[in-house]
């Protein structure tokens, strides 16, 4: 499921591909759009609420969010236009006097006509169910405020295709149409059931054709509908409840993509059903074709660390040593995210992986990864975004105790039962007890921008680990007191369509003077970078809430007041450069190539390169991190080297079939690769 490690020649042609961290400067300071009395997920669950208009339509960007003018007012959709210079323009709302609850909007801009389309849910009739509604704006960049009438796309409880019920939390997208000179508008609604087990178990997608002439003529949309048969069968399953968290996008080839993750539990006792949890659904023929379902497991096999000096393992269950198969990473609490499609035909879904020990999810040991699905080969891949060990796309995983991927604990004091562990908490609050212990569900969100023409993209999330450590262990972490009411913003950048991810830039109100005194929450990037004056610099706009009291008034009240300011700002980001850029420093002084042949039976060749003459050590380990043999130790000249391994350990014993690690180490660098021995 993993792609091969990307290696090139460093010396004599060997050079590892690796990204340095991006850096940023504040280009447009935090600017308040409005005061709001609604402070939860202001830009919606699954999409990017700020969209770039494009130079052809006046530049600038649109932002769509929900807010309350006063504490007693109902929640309404709000609109903002930020011009090309970064200045906020006046906006009007045709629904200003409407006393109807609205929420969770999505926006799409047609780059062929400049027309903007909006979708959200609200109640427009006598029954209690929300309708899924749509509205468009003719020329937001040049003549804002020319709105269409509001139209109903899905009217429950009698939804189309016999799918009775309420479909809300929409995603709106635009793609090509099979009809000449037309475009196709898609709106996906997610089913809102009566309980958690039913929510998001089915989706309903409406689609209709348009062009600029039909829009300006006011021609009504002729909606057609499609749904996903697999999800309907899940919804009707009498034995298993499956809840799908999925986002939506369309391609330039007329295919529709619904992708995400699900969990499954038995209805009778709520026990977990173990089954593949990553899902991609593809519909060909512009929504009128059949749906195909592709699945994979998010589980990543690790190992139970072993301390040879103490003769102990790290993880036990009631005195029983956990098997390696019981120590894994698993996608979890990836509930609110978007979906993007790159120019290579690959889908990207950002999410969280937690350490799982004997089926129990860890709270504090997490990492951010990218689920990649190749729409041509129908294969899944998982790439590291943060932290990254080796490269994002290799087969060596970061773990909380092993940052360099050599399958040995980086630090394990003799008198400690566990190795030193690195904790990450990628949620925008620290307190897991909030909202009836469901804080991690409600406060998880991950956003990824669309790749620009050069393959530049970004992934953004928030992390509250410093606040968590301070609140739980104030005596041990007094240095984090300044973070007691603030989450950090993490922003990682890729310059090659998500093949490699750079070290994230960490932004917070503690370290960034422009944010001083604020509590930034629900930070959404615009849908793509825009070019600045520098070739190696891009600008990114951010929409966020400056919270008055850290938390959110969602599900059940947590704090009063629940007010915030809806803000935007812009960063000029110096793109990370790869090690093969002649203007950048060399990132790795060592390169270790995949052995050949691999798999091997008794003999295999290992090639490696070093930047400068010096002492190196090449060692062989098993998957428990136990050293089996020193293959070479001594001085080497700069350049390319190789050696032959005969399949034997240090004592001359033939090793059995299995996966082994070989590690190259110098004074200031190390590289690790795997090999497969088959007898």
């Amino acid at each position: 499921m993993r792609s091969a490690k990307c290696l090139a020649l460093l010396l004599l042609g060997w050079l590892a591909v690796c990204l340095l961290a991006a850096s940023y400067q504040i280009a447009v300071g935090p600017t308040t759009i409005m005061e709001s009395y609604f402070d939860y997920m202001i830009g919606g669950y699954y999409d990017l609420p700020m969209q770039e208009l494009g130079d052809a339509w006046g530049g600038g960007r649109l932002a769509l969010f929900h807010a309350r003018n006063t504490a007693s007012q109902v929640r309404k959709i709000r609109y903002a236009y930020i011009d090309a210079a970064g200045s906020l323009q006046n906006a009007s709302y045709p629904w200003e006097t409407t006393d109807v609850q609205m929420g969770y909007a999505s926006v799409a801009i047609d780059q062929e006509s400049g027309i903007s389309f909006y979708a959200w849910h609200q109640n427009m009739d006598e029954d209690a169910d929300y309708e899924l509604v749509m509205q468009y704006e003719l020329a937001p960049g040049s003549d804002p405020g020319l709105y269409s009438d509001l139209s109903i796309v899905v009217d429950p409880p009698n939804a189309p295709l016999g799918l009775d019920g309420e479909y809300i939390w929409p995603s709106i997208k635009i793609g090509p149409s099979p009809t000449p000179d037309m475009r196709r508008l898609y709106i996906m609604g997610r089913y809102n059931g009566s309980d958690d087990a039913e929510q998001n178990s089915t989706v309903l997608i409406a689609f209709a054709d348009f062009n600029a002439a039909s829009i300006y003529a006011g021609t009504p949309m002729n909606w057609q509908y499609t749904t996903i048969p697999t999800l309907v069968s899940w919804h009707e399953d009498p034995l298993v409840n499956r809840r799908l968290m999925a986002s939506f996008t369309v391609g330039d080839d007329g295919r529709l993509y619904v992708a995400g993750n699900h969990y499954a539990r038995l209805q009778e006792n709520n026990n977990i059903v173990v089954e593949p949890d990553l899902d991609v659904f593809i519909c060909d023929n512009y929504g009128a074709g059949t749906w195909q379902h592709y699945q994979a497991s998010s589980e990543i096999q690790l190992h139970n660390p072993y301390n040879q000096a103490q003769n102990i393992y790290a993880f036990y269950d009631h005195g029983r040593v956990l098997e390696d198969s019981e120590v894994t990473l698993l996608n979890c609490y990836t509930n609110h995210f978007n979906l993007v499609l790159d120019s290579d035909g690959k889908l990207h879904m950002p999410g969280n992986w937690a350490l799982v020990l004997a089926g129990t999810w860890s709270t504090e040991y997490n990492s951010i990864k990218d689920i990649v699905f190749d729409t041509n080969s129908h294969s899944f891949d998982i790439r590291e975004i943060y932290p990254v060990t080796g490269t994002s796309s290799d087969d060596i995983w970061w773990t909380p105790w092993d940052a360099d991927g050599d399958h040995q604990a980086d630090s394990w004091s003799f008198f400690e039962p566990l190795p030193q562990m690195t904790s990450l908490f990628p949620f925008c609050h620290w307190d897991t007890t909030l909202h009836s212990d469901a804080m991690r569900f409600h406060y998880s969100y991950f956003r990824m921008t669309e790749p620009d023409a050069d393959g530049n993209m970004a992934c953004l999330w928030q992390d509250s680990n410093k606040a968590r450590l301070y609140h739980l262990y104030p005596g041990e972490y007094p240095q984090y007191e300044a973070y007691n009411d603030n989450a950090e913003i993490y922003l990682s950048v890729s310059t090659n369509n998500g093949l490699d991810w750079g070290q994230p830039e960490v932004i917070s109100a503690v370290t960034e003077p422009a944010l001083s005194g604020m509590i930034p929450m629900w930070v959404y990037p615009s849908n793509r970078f825009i070019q600045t004056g520098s070739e190696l610099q891009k600008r990114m706009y951010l929409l966020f809430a400056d919270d008055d009291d850290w938390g959110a008034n969602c599900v059940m009240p947590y704090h009063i007041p629940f007010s915030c300011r809806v803000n935007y700002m812009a960063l000029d980001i110096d793109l990370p450069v790869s090690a093969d850029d002649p203007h950048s420093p060399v990132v790795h002084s060592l390169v270790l190539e995949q052995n050949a042949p691999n798999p091997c039976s008794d003999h295999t060749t290992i090639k490696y390169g070093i930047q400068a003459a010096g002492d190196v050590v090449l060692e062989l380990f098993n998957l428990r991190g136990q050293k089996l043999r020193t293959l070479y130790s001594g001085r080497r000249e700069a350049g390319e080297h190789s050696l032959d391994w005969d399949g034997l350990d240090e004592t001359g014993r033939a090793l059995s079939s299995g996966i082994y690690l070989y590690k190259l180490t110098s004074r200031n660098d190390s590289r690790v690769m795997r090999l497969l021995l088959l007898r």
Side-chain angles (χ1 to χ4, degrees):
M1 202 163 94
R2 299 285 293 170
S3 59
K5 186 184 205 85
C6 296
L7 291 177
L9 294 180
L10 174 64
L11 287 175
L12 304 177
W14 287 37
L15 185 67
V17 176
C18 186
L19 292 184
L20 302 175
S23 60
Y24 78 94
Q25 303 84 41
I26 300 291
V28 178
T31 304
T32 298
I33 299 173
M34 67 173 291
E35 182 90 11
S36 173
Y37 287 82
F38 189 83
D39 59 2
Y40 178 66
M41 205 76 77
I42 62 170
Y45 289 146
Y46 295 102
D47 298 300
L48 297 176
M50 184 181 286
Q51 301 273 313
E52 298 294 329
L53 269 169
D55 293 339
W57 312 113
R61 57 224 38 94
L62 298 171
L64 209 63
F65 55 93
H66 50 228
R68 290 189 182 120
N69 274 353
T70 66
S72 60
Q73 186 192 48
V74 295
R75 185 183 64 215
K76 294 183 181 181
I77 299 301
R78 299 291 171 175
Y79 154 92
Y81 172 60
I82 299 134
D83 66 20
S87 299
L88 181 66
Q89 302 300 307
N90 292 328
S92 61
Y93 308 100
W95 49 85
E96 186 64 50
T97 60
T98 304
D99 191 27
V100 175
Q101 179 96 328
M102 307 171 177
Y104 299 93
S106 182
V107 54
I109 300 172
D110 180 32
Q111 292 300 320
E112 293 194 4
S113 64
I115 299 169
S116 299
F117 294 86
Y118 313 130
W120 62 83
H121 62 250
Q122 72 174 70
N123 197 333
M124 294 188 66
D125 56 22
E126 297 301 320
D127 62 58
D129 291 325
Y130 283 124
E131 279 69 51
L132 203 57
V133 301
M134 186 275 293
Q135 188 168 49
Y136 57 80
E137 188 177 8
L138 295 179
S142 59
D143 196 7
L146 300 177
Y147 299 102
S148 70
D149 292 333
L150 201 61
S151 61
I152 296 176
V153 180
V154 179
D155 187 4
N158 300 310
L161 304 180
L163 296 171
D164 292 350
E166 186 179 62
Y167 289 82
I168 58 177
W169 307 308
S171 292
I172 187 167
K173 306 293 177 181
I174 299 171
S177 168
T179 305
D181 301 320
M182 301 294 282
R183 301 279 285 160
R184 184 154 286 187
L185 182 69
Y186 301 89
I187 301 177
M188 185 179 86
R190 298 163 174 88
Y191 180 76
N192 182 31
S194 58
D195 55 49
D196 279 353
E198 290 186 338
Q199 286 182 357
N200 291 12
S201 54
T202 61
V203 301
L204 182 64
I205 300 174
F207 57 92
D209 287 344
F210 72 94
N211 59 21
S214 68
I215 292 296
Y216 276 88
T219 304
M221 292 282 191
N222 180 24
W223 294 107
Q224 302 177 67
Y225 299 87
T226 183
T227 191
I228 301 176
T230 299
L231 296 184
V232 175
S233 68
W234 285 5
H235 182 69
E236 296 172 348
D237 191 329
L239 301 178
V240 180
N241 284 330
R242 292 178 177 87
R243 181 164 185 178
L244 176 71
M245 278 66 69
S247 198
F248 174 53
T249 194
V250 300
D252 291 333
D253 55 2
R255 289 192 287 182
L256 279 60
Y257 304 99
V258 176
N261 64 94
H262 79 275
Y263 65 76
R265 294 180 180 271
L266 293 174
Q267 291 202 28
E268 63 177 1
N269 55 20
N270 209 36
N271 286 346
I272 293 175
V273 177
V274 179
E275 61 184 22
D277 57 329
L278 304 180
D279 303 280
V280 174
F281 301 92
I282 303 178
C283 179
D284 57 8
N285 196 23
Y286 307 90
T290 58
W291 286 90
Q292 302 296 324
H293 182 203
Y294 303 93
Q295 286 187 289
S297 172
S298 69
E299 186 176 72
I300 296 171
Q301 179 70 59
L302 302 179
H303 67 284
N304 192 349
Y306 176 69
N307 188 322
Q308 196 166 9
Q310 298 187 66
N311 191 28
I312 62 171
Y313 288 88
F315 305 124
Y316 295 80
D317 180 22
H318 296 90
R320 177 183 65 86
V321 176
L322 294 189
E323 300 290 336
D324 284 348
S325 61
E326 298 177 282
V327 183
T328 62
L329 298 174
L330 192 67
N331 180 274
C332 69
Y333 292 113
T334 301
N335 307 317
H336 311 110
F337 59 94
N338 68 311
L339 177 69
V340 299
L341 180 65
D342 70 26
S343 58
D344 295 327
K346 293 180 173 63
L347 294 171
H348 296 263
M349 298 171 279
N352 177 59
W353 266 249
L355 177 65
V356 179
L357 302 175
T360 300
W361 292 354
S362 163
T363 297
E364 59 187 318
Y365 301 119
N366 302 276
S367 57
I368 309 302
K369 295 178 172 46
D370 179 14
I371 305 166
V372 180
F373 180 80
D374 190 321
T375 62
N376 298 309
S377 66
H378 302 147
S379 60
F380 286 84
D381 187 22
I382 299 173
R383 299 176 185 170
E384 290 180 320
I385 297 179
Y386 180 73
V388 175
T389 292
T391 69
S392 298
S393 307
D394 63 19
D395 59 354
I396 301 173
W397 301 102
W398 176 90
T399 64
W401 58 88
D402 179 15
D404 60 8
D406 65 356
H407 277 233
Q408 300 181 77
D410 297 330
S411 177
W412 197 337
S413 299
F414 186 82
F415 296 105
E416 294 295 331
L418 288 174
Q420 182 173 320
M421 305 273 278
T422 300
S423 60
L424 299 169
F425 199 70
F427 307 96
C428 55
H429 205 286
W430 69 272
D431 190 349
T432 59
T433 67
L434 298 185
H435 311 295
S436 302
D437 298 323
M439 186 281 290
R440 284 179 291 173
F441 179 91
H442 295 295
Y443 287 70
S444 75
Y445 76 106
F446 310 91
R447 290 300 190 273
M448 189 173 286
T449 66
E450 303 163 4
D452 65 13
D454 300 318
N456 300 306
M457 57 194 299
C459 184
L460 185 148
W461 68 96
Q462 287 187 263
D463 187 288
S464 302
N465 194 49
K466 289 178 180 176
R468 182 177 179 278
L469 292 174
Y470 174 73
H471 281 279
L472 294 180
Y473 316 105
E476 298 179 41
Y477 296 95
Q479 68 271 31
Y480 293 153
E481 182 178 7
Y483 294 90
N484 76 93
D485 63 353
N486 244 285
E488 295 177 291
I489 304 164
Y490 277 64
L491 179 67
S492 184
V493 174
S494 171
T495 60
N496 54 10
N497 277 336
L499 185 64
D500 296 281
W501 289 92
Q503 182 78 5
E505 191 68 45
V506 181
I507 309 166
S508 76
V510 176
T511 58
E512 174 51 64
L515 296 172
S516 179
M518 296 185 178
I519 304 178
M521 285 283 286
W522 318 116
V523 185
Y524 300 88
S526 186
N527 66 309
R528 58 178 172 83
F529 287 113
I530 58 174
Q531 188 66 56
T532 64
S534 169
E535 182 180 351
L536 294 178
Q537 189 180 75
K538 300 279 185 173
R539 181 164 295 179
M540 173 177 289
Y541 276 82
L542 304 175
L543 178 74
F544 67 97
D546 170 22
D547 208 350
D548 278 341
D549 186 11
W550 193 17
N553 186 42
C554 72
V555 183
M556 57 180 294
Y558 162 58
H559 66 158
I560 301 294
F562 43 88
S563 57
C564 69
R565 280 148 301 285
V566 179
N567 284 5
Y568 72 89
M569 63 185 295
L571 309 177
D572 279 350
I573 297 174
D574 299 315
L575 297 178
V577 292
S578 62
D580 56 359
D581 188 322
H583 302 294
S584 67
V586 174
V587 176
H588 289 293
S589 61
L590 301 175
V591 171
L592 188 58
E593 196 176 44
Q594 185 66 61
N595 64 297
N598 187 50
C600 58
S601 57
D602 51 7
H603 285 272
T604 190
T605 299
I606 299 173
K607 293 183 178 181
Y608 59 96
I610 61 175
Q611 177 192 6
D615 292 332
V616 295
V617 178
L618 185 62
E619 299 166 297
L620 184 75
F621 298 87
N622 62 20
L623 289 182
R624 295 190 183 277
Q626 297 166 314
K627 187 171 76 170
L628 304 176
R629 183 175 176 180
T630 299
L631 302 176
Y632 180 82
S633 178
R635 184 176 178 81
R636 286 291 199 193
E637 296 302 314
E640 178 184 355
H641 303 275
S642 67
L643 59 81
D644 183 75
W645 177 56
D646 54 11
L648 306 180
D649 67 8
E650 200 79 63
T651 66
R653 178 178 62 90
L655 294 176
S656 60
S657 296
I659 298 174
Y660 296 91
L661 305 173
Y662 54 101
K663 180 181 181 182
L664 180 68
T665 306
S666 68
R667 183 175 62 85
N668 56 6
D669 201 359
S670 65
R671 311 296 288 160
V672 180
M673 291 292 287
R674 297 186 183 196
L675 63 81
L676 177 59
L677 179 65
L678 293 178
R679 295 292 190 185

